[in-house]
Amino acid sequence: MKTVTIKADADFDALLTGLAGRLNTTKSRVIRDAVRNYCQFLDREALRKQMREASLKTRQQALDAAEDLGTADSDGL
């Protein structure tokens, strides 16, 4: 395993130490899990954004198709 060093103020170290104690694990494990969870969160947010954009595009296409049908209907077709 690689070693990564971070600088942390006393408050952050106390928070990290307390969390590691609550979870009965190491500070390193807490940091690794937090980074993995944050990456998953960012991936989900990116997917959510893509899905929303696709939904809006599909919605606009449906509105355009409905308008075309309405125009054709009023033309007596």
Side-chain angles (χ1 to χ4, degrees):
M1 225 184 252
K2 297 250 182 192
T3 299
V4 176
T5 304
I6 65 167
K7 292 186 180 193
D9 61 23
D11 289 339
F12 182 81
D13 184 54
L15 179 66
L16 184 57
T17 300
L19 186 54
R22 285 175 56 192
L23 298 172
N24 196 30
T25 191
T26 64
K27 292 191 277 187
S28 292
R29 178 63 183 248
V30 170
I31 293 169
R32 283 193 303 269
D33 288 349
V35 170
R36 283 188 190 102
N37 287 336
Y38 189 59
C39 285
Q40 289 175 351
F41 168 78
L42 291 176
D43 290 344
R44 282 192 306 268
E45 286 301 307
L47 181 59
R48 187 174 289 124
K49 181 180 177 186
Q50 288 176 337
M51 291 173 65
R52 178 162 172 71
E53 288 171 357
S55 174
L56 291 174
K57 183 178 179 181
T58 302
R59 181 185 307 164
Q60 187 58 51
Q61 290 171 342
L63 291 172
D64 292 344
E67 184 178 336
D68 290 345
L69 288 173
T71 302
D73 188 44
S74 66
D75 287 345
L77 296 178

